[in-house]
Amino acid sequence: MEADVLVHGSDLSSALIWYELSREGFNVLLAHRSMRVSERLAYIPFTTEWARYVRGLGVDGFSEEHRILLRTSENFWGRFFPAIKVCVGDARRISERLFSIGEGVVEHWCKDVGWRRGVEGVEYVVLTRGGEELKGSTRVLIDTEYEKVTVGKVVIHTSLSKAGEAVLDLSGPSIRLTVPHSRLETRVQVGGETSGISGLCRATLPLGRGVELGVMPMLHAGIRSGLVTPPWIGDYLAASALLSVKIAENWLSRGDLSQNILSYLAELAARSKMFFDVSERAASGRIKELELSYLFEGLRPPLRPNYRL
């Protein structure tokens, strides 16, 4: 089976990449070994702007939106400025809906997925759940899968709750974003004690020290790229997906990356680096050493590009 793009991954970023490229008319195959899509990251926070982007693709699966209450000490509470609203996206529901309306090929729960770099592309073998062997070549491979982490600095979990406020808490030795939805709450925690955290679903994520996009025609996206930083997991997954789609489109058309794409990549990379510095200080109890302007810049969600990539 010949394909323009093979997407390896099971999270929301892989579903977005698969859908966007197939919508542009490319022959796209998605394959992964997970039992179901978005198995690890079932519920993830989104700010209004990026939730609107996903809805614009013709799908929904978002909770009600909340203004964010900011806590910087035991005695100081205020509203996050600039005013940002946050909601929780049901990543499984969104991904499954994208697969239902898209036109590419999807192979879930494969027994094995393997590849090697060829002369002009990537040769791959997919052993499907039913035992069928799919062989072929692809011009671009986009890999979003990351190693399973048992001990790490980023934990995202969903549990029962009656909370009514979305809170960004910077008062302790961690960064914690808590967002209520229905009778649940989803929390993203960076640093601090995480061993006792449990809930309906829980994932431990790596916090990359740098950006790693791979070498074309083998591109890294999503969490694997190093561009996805907490607490706005959903925003960064969508931003990384959008960026990788545009890079792949340029590659498939044999064009050079535009200045707009390079500028957006540089912006996401800079935000990732800044957040890593903020998180390191939070983990060591030194977050209060930072000026508020730097702290807020490091915690800003990624902006949607206001230019055509």
Side-chain angles (χ1 to χ4, degrees):
M1 176 179 175
E2 302 302 310
D4 294 317
V5 183
L6 170 64
V7 182
H8 176 236
S10 59
D11 66 4
L12 181 58
S13 66
S14 63
L16 289 169
I17 292 166
W18 175 90
Y19 178 77
E20 288 274 46
L21 286 171
S22 64
R23 188 172 66 161
E24 292 297 321
F26 294 106
N27 182 11
V28 188
L29 166 66
L30 181 142
H32 61 81
R33 301 179 187 86
S34 298
M35 185 179 295
R36 61 182 302 181
V37 69
S38 295
E39 190 172 32
R40 284 184 272 186
L41 291 175
Y43 296 100
I44 47 182
F46 282 83
T47 59
T48 299
E49 193 172 16
W50 284 99
R52 186 181 298 123
Y53 160 69
V54 177
R55 286 191 179 104
L57 301 178
V59 300
D60 204 348
F62 295 94
S63 69
E64 68 282 6
E65 295 184 345
H66 297 269
R67 292 181 64 194
I68 301 171
L69 191 63
L70 178 65
R71 181 183 185 185
T72 57
S73 70
E74 291 294 332
N75 301 317
F76 183 80
W77 296 72
R79 291 293 178 185
F80 191 78
F81 183 83
I84 296 173
K85 289 186 177 180
V86 64
C87 61
V88 171
D90 185 334
R92 288 175 180 169
R93 178 179 170 186
I94 294 169
S95 299
E96 288 168 356
R97 178 59 179 158
L98 287 171
F99 291 138
S100 72
I101 63 176
E103 298 182 354
V105 178
V106 181
E107 292 292 342
H108 297 300
W109 202 2
C110 296
K111 293 182 178 179
D112 196 17
V113 181
W115 60 79
R116 67 179 181 181
R117 186 163 185 157
V119 177
E120 294 190 4
V122 179
E123 299 172 357
Y124 69 86
V125 178
V126 174
L127 184 61
T128 70
R129 183 184 177 190
E132 182 183 2
E133 190 175 75
L134 302 179
K135 288 184 177 181
S137 62
T138 180
R139 295 167 64 189
V140 177
L141 167 72
I142 303 179
D143 190 5
T144 72
E145 290 288 83
Y146 59 94
E147 296 292 329
K148 187 174 181 180
V149 181
T150 56
V151 178
K153 294 182 179 179
V154 184
V155 174
I156 179 168
H157 66 102
T158 300
S159 58
L160 296 172
S161 173
K162 295 182 179 179
E165 293 270 16
V167 179
L168 181 59
D169 191 344
L170 309 176
S171 63
S174 64
I175 299 169
R176 289 181 295 171
L177 173 69
T178 303
V179 186
H181 51 110
S182 301
R183 298 181 180 179
L184 304 172
E185 70 173 24
T186 291
R187 174 180 291 182
V188 180
Q189 178 170 325
V190 185
E193 180 58 43
T194 61
S195 59
I197 295 177
S198 61
L200 301 177
C201 54
R202 181 184 190 275
T204 304
L205 310 179
L207 183 59
R209 290 181 174 269
V211 175
E212 177 50 67
L213 294 183
V215 179
M216 291 296 275
M218 301 170 67
L219 179 67
H220 296 163
I223 292 173
R224 186 176 178 83
S225 70
L227 290 171
V228 180
T229 56
W232 320 107
I233 299 292
D235 291 13
Y236 276 101
L237 284 175
S240 172
L242 178 60
L243 180 67
S244 65
V245 165
K246 297 306 177 183
I247 292 175
E249 286 178 350
N250 272 255
W251 179 268
L252 292 169
S253 64
R254 301 297 185 184
D256 294 330
L257 292 182
S258 70
Q259 188 59 48
N260 289 340
I261 293 177
L262 293 173
S263 295
Y264 192 53
L265 171 58
E267 179 183 336
L268 291 180
R271 289 190 182 279
S272 177
K273 182 178 180 181
M274 187 177 292
F275 177 80
F276 181 74
D277 180 46
V278 171
S279 65
E280 286 285 281
R281 291 174 185 264
S284 60
R286 296 183 295 121
I287 197 169
K288 293 181 176 60
E289 298 175 2
L290 295 174
E291 294 182 1
L292 283 178
S293 59
Y294 184 87
L295 178 61
F296 287 156
E297 188 64 25
L299 291 174
R300 278 180 64 190
L303 296 175
R304 279 188 62 188
N306 56 4
Y307 40 75
R308 183 171 179 83
L309 290 182

